[in-house]
Amino acid sequence: TDSWNICHLVTGSEVCFPCFRGRFAPATAAASLAIGTTTGYRLFSLSSVEQLDQVHESNEIPDVYIVERLFSSSLVVVVSHAKPQQMNVYHFKKGTEICNYSYSGKIMSIRLNRQRLVVCLEESIYIHNIKDMKLLKTIMDTPPNTTGLCALSINHANSYLAYPGSATSGEIVLYDGNTLKTACTIPAHDGPLAALAFNSTGSKLASASEKGTVIRVFSIPGGQKLYEFRRGMKRYVNISSLVFSMDSQFLCASSNTETVHIFKLEHLTDSRPEEPPTWSGYMGKMFQAATNYLPAQVSGMMSQDRAFATVRLNISGQRNICALSTIQKLPRLLVTTSDGHLYIYNLDPQDGGECVLIKNHSLLGSGKMEENKENDLQPPVPQSYAATVARQSTVPSTSTMPGYSEDGGALRGEVIPEHEFATGPVCLDDENEFPPRGDEEPKEDS
């Protein structure tokens, strides 16, 4: 089979998060998956649980390791191992190259929203205006960032950018991509960072360290800690994926282990009904009261919330990326693994628990999808949730932008043709290609 990298998954929720060679990102009523291969890249569309279609395949650039699609539009950004210092921007439906840029070092990651395109190198970050690709800011001498870890809010009203502020501690730098100024720094963890993710509005930021045991959520732009979740205490893990649901009610974390954790973001209040006077209830209150007299580190460990829902994958040690989405009006967890499979699970938003696998798509076929028939049958579903999870079947141009000078400045090149964009945030051809803006209602899935 063709070797490949999972590069990008566009989901029905506007969520972005870093992952191996790519990330999850937003779309409208369908979900899209992009993968880089030794021969180029492919784009898939997931319109329902049952249907995964290949919508585009390009073999013009070999060994692609970054593919970033602007929501569900026709604009894609591609980087290959053949030219790791060059970023190519394409209109894939027209089959044309819009522009390309070259940098002084290897491109580690790329993030984009309606206003900004961010290119992350190991020790520098470049911020472009996505409308005309003008270089707005170069952040030089950033701490060594060998994984290209950074997160960009998809809410173009703020365009917050988060990246590591230290190579030895878990400090986060929050940068305002619109005003081009540092907003604050957040001392998030003791150890180096491993994952960062904004929610859909850019009002919350989740983080995890290289230990992978604790996940924290901070308010933006203030940087106050809002939540703290413990993924586990027995062993350190490598967090490969961190993502919010569209409504910011859930946060999903996956790692190199077989377990995917989903946490629920809610604060317990004192308005809950009084529990009956039982021995366990009495001990619980005593335990809660005792936390007020313990050292902060111990008290925090005792009060941390654990997973609301989980998934146990049938594989361990493989890298994966996840997304929380609404498909056919039901909440789903999507997990794509490095062995070339897309797993779809039902998530019970009321009771949580173990998520139910309902579909396994294989991505290894050329062109048409080859499905794993053994997993087509839906496993038994808890009776309390059965009614709600019933399955519903149904030639590149020569346009180019010259590269950067050694001091990080950009040489002026051709701008992207005006007809490719609207007067405001990026639009390409068809309004139906784009996700709803903040003041628009998202379309329901069919």
Side-chain angles (χ1 to χ4, degrees):
T1 57
D2 195 13
S3 62
W4 61 292
N5 295 310
I6 303 174
C7 287
H8 184 97
L9 184 59
V10 178
T11 69
S13 56
E14 295 202 350
V15 204
C16 306
F17 66 94
C19 63
F20 69 99
R21 298 303 183 195
R23 65 186 178 106
F24 285 97
T28 47
S32 297
L33 171 67
I35 61 173
T37 70
T38 56
T39 59
Y41 68 92
R42 301 174 188 175
L43 304 177
F44 299 95
S45 175
L46 183 66
S47 56
S48 69
V49 168
E50 301 290 336
Q51 188 170 354
L52 179 67
D53 299 315
Q54 180 171 297
V55 297
H56 181 70
E57 180 176 10
S58 173
N59 297 318
E60 295 176 3
I61 300 180
D63 296 322
V64 170
Y65 69 96
I66 293 177
V67 182
E68 291 293 330
R69 186 177 179 185
L70 180 63
F71 300 99
S72 57
S73 75
S74 301
L75 187 146
V76 291
V77 183
V78 179
V79 183
S80 74
H81 284 298
K83 294 183 178 181
Q85 296 176 254
Q86 180 172 298
M87 169 188 72
N88 298 82
V89 183
Y90 293 101
H91 190 300
F92 75 84
K93 287 188 177 179
K94 293 181 178 179
T96 58
E97 180 185 82
I98 297 174
C99 65
N100 64 68
Y101 258 105
S102 295
Y103 301 82
S104 59
K106 180 180 179 180
I107 299 173
M108 310 307 298
S109 63
I110 290 176
R111 303 287 181 261
L112 64 166
N113 64 20
R114 293 177 182 270
Q115 295 280 21
R116 299 290 181 256
L117 186 150
V118 176
V119 180
C120 180
L121 275 57
E122 183 172 345
E123 295 186 352
S124 58
I125 295 175
Y126 299 85
I127 302 176
H128 295 263
N129 178 24
I130 200 169
K131 180 182 177 181
D132 56 12
M133 287 304 296
K134 177 183 178 182
L135 180 66
L136 301 176
K137 182 71 175 182
T138 303
I139 305 175
M140 303 297 291
D141 301 321
T142 57
N145 187 0
T146 57
T147 62
L149 176 61
C150 66
L152 176 67
S153 168
I154 62 165
N155 181 6
H156 62 273
N158 51 55
S159 293
Y160 287 121
L161 171 68
Y163 61 91
S166 170
T168 57
S169 70
E171 180 182 83
I172 302 171
V173 176
L174 181 68
Y175 192 87
D176 191 321
N178 286 342
T179 64
L180 304 177
K181 295 180 180 179
T182 299
C184 71
T185 58
I186 305 172
H189 301 270
D190 292 334
L193 296 169
L196 293 168
F198 283 103
N199 68 338
S200 60
T201 61
S203 62
K204 294 181 177 66
L205 175 67
S207 66
S209 72
E210 289 183 352
K211 290 183 178 180
T213 55
V214 174
I215 296 167
R216 296 189 172 104
V217 179
F218 301 90
S219 66
I220 299 300
Q224 292 83 16
K225 186 173 71 173
L226 301 176
Y227 304 91
E228 187 168 89
F229 303 106
R230 179 162 290 278
R231 195 212 57 82
M233 298 175 61
K234 295 182 180 179
R235 55 177 173 171
Y236 295 164
V237 300
N238 298 318
I239 300 293
S240 59
S241 180
L242 197 59
V243 61
F244 286 92
S245 60
M246 178 59 179
D247 59 7
S248 301
Q249 186 178 4
F250 299 101
L251 176 66
C252 177
S254 67
S255 65
N256 59 332
T257 69
E258 68 280 0
T259 306
V260 178
H261 296 79
I262 300 173
F263 303 97
K264 194 169 186 178
L265 281 67
E266 59 180 358
H267 285 300
L268 298 179
T269 65
D270 295 332
S271 60
R272 291 174 297 172
E274 185 71 20
E275 296 180 357
T278 62
W279 174 251
S280 61
Y282 173 76
M283 290 302 295
K285 290 182 179 180
M286 291 292 292
F287 179 85
Q288 184 66 32
T291 61
N292 297 326
Y293 302 95
L294 294 172
Q297 184 175 2
V298 178
S299 174
M301 184 176 297
M302 295 169 72
S303 62
Q304 286 165 349
D305 293 309
R306 291 186 176 274
F308 170 76
T310 58
V311 166
R312 292 191 66 84
L313 306 174
N314 58 3
I315 50 102
S316 179
Q318 293 190 16
R319 305 193 70 181
N320 58 71
I321 56 175
C322 299
L324 294 167
S325 182
T326 298
I327 299 177
Q328 295 170 284
K329 301 181 181 181
L330 296 175
R332 319 283 188 179
L333 170 66
L334 310 180
V335 182
T336 307
T337 58
S338 57
D339 66 346
H341 287 87
L342 171 63
Y343 299 92
I344 305 176
Y345 296 84
N346 278 329
L347 168 64
D348 185 337
Q350 300 299 324
D351 300 324
E354 187 73 15
C355 296
V356 179
L357 175 66
I358 58 171
K359 191 68 177 180
N360 174 6
H361 291 283
S362 174
L363 304 171
L364 299 179
S366 58
K368 295 184 178 180
M369 296 297 95
E370 298 175 0
E371 297 179 2
N372 186 339
K373 301 300 182 181
E374 295 179 1
N375 289 310
D376 281 353
L377 297 178
Q378 181 178 351
V381 181
Q383 187 63 35
S384 61
Y385 194 47
T388 61
V389 297
R391 295 202 304 183
Q392 307 175 31
S393 297
T394 55
V395 177
S397 71
T398 58
S399 173
T400 183
M401 291 188 176
Y404 296 104
S405 57
E406 288 302 315
D407 63 358
L411 301 177
R412 182 173 179 82
E414 295 181 47
V415 299
I416 300 175
E418 189 65 30
H419 68 269
E420 297 285 358
F421 298 96
T423 56
V426 171
C427 291
L428 294 178
D429 289 318
D430 184 357
E431 290 183 358
N432 295 326
E433 292 182 357
F434 304 97
R437 303 176 188 272
D439 56 353
E440 296 175 357
E441 290 295 326
K443 297 178 182 179
E444 286 193 350
D445 300 331
S446 57

